[in-house]
Amino acid sequence: EDNCMPKQYPPDLLHFLVSQGVSRVIVGHTPHGNCPTVIPHEGLSVIMGDTSYSNMKSDLAYPGDNRGDAVCEIAIFDDRCVVRGRTGATAEGRPRQVVHYVVTESSSAGDPHIGVMQPPSASVPLDDCFFVKACLPAMEGKDARYL
């Protein structure tokens, strides 16, 4: 699709995976934005761990380096997926952003906004909706916010 937002798996694929006992699909080498992406489904979580677009045009380690000094850890504990790390600083001086959030099979225990597509409204048409992929915790005089 044109907006390149993460999508949930088709129902047939989801049903097949869950029926085979799969509860998580964890992939690397699937570049998507500046931190890992978690896409929750009923009975399954998809976790895309590639951070190679974390700091576009940083050129820190070599010409064409799009990761720079960004790093994230993905840790699985029972039904929780904990993502923490940082985005990279830019040559223009944009500071790093700290990433720290928890996604669980039950939205009551983790952050219920992570992995949710913003619903369209009268003021936000469908083409302008965004996927909530991370929580940037409150720090340095800033409130917590979503990425």
Side-chain angles (χ1 to χ4, degrees):
E1 294 190 23
D2 293 336
N3 67 8
C4 296
M5 291 291 142
K7 304 285 188 281
Q8 289 205 326
Y9 282 170
D12 289 349
L13 176 58
L14 176 62
H15 174 73
F16 175 77
L17 291 170
V18 171
S19 73
Q20 298 300 307
V22 176
S23 61
R24 289 190 185 93
V25 175
I26 303 173
V27 299
H29 207 66
T30 307
H32 196 274
N34 52 3
C35 67
T37 302
V38 179
I39 308 169
H41 297 70
E42 187 65 39
L44 177 87
S45 292
V46 177
I47 303 160
M48 299 189 308
D50 192 311
T51 58
S52 60
Y53 288 173
S54 295
N55 194 1
M56 294 300 291
K57 300 180 183 175
S58 76
D59 297 330
L60 183 68
Y62 55 88
D65 178 10
N66 288 323
R67 182 176 288 121
D69 61 352
V71 62
C72 277
E73 168 189 56
I74 300 169
I76 306 296
F77 303 100
D78 298 321
D79 73 334
R80 295 178 299 139
C81 173
V82 179
V83 178
R84 62 181 165 221
R86 67 169 192 248
T87 63
T90 66
E92 298 82 35
R94 185 186 80 217
R96 292 177 185 90
Q97 296 172 307
V98 172
V99 176
H100 188 192
Y101 55 94
V102 177
V103 180
T104 65
E105 293 173 13
S106 164
S107 63
S108 63
D111 190 317
H113 303 295
I114 303 296
V116 174
M117 189 71 168
Q118 175 191 25
S121 65
S123 60
V124 181
L126 181 60
D127 289 347
D128 292 339
C129 290
F130 60 89
F131 180 87
V132 179
K133 73 180 298 167
C135 181
L136 306 176
M139 58 188 305
E140 299 177 14
K142 293 185 178 181
D143 292 335
R145 58 205 187 281
Y146 289 95
L147 179 65

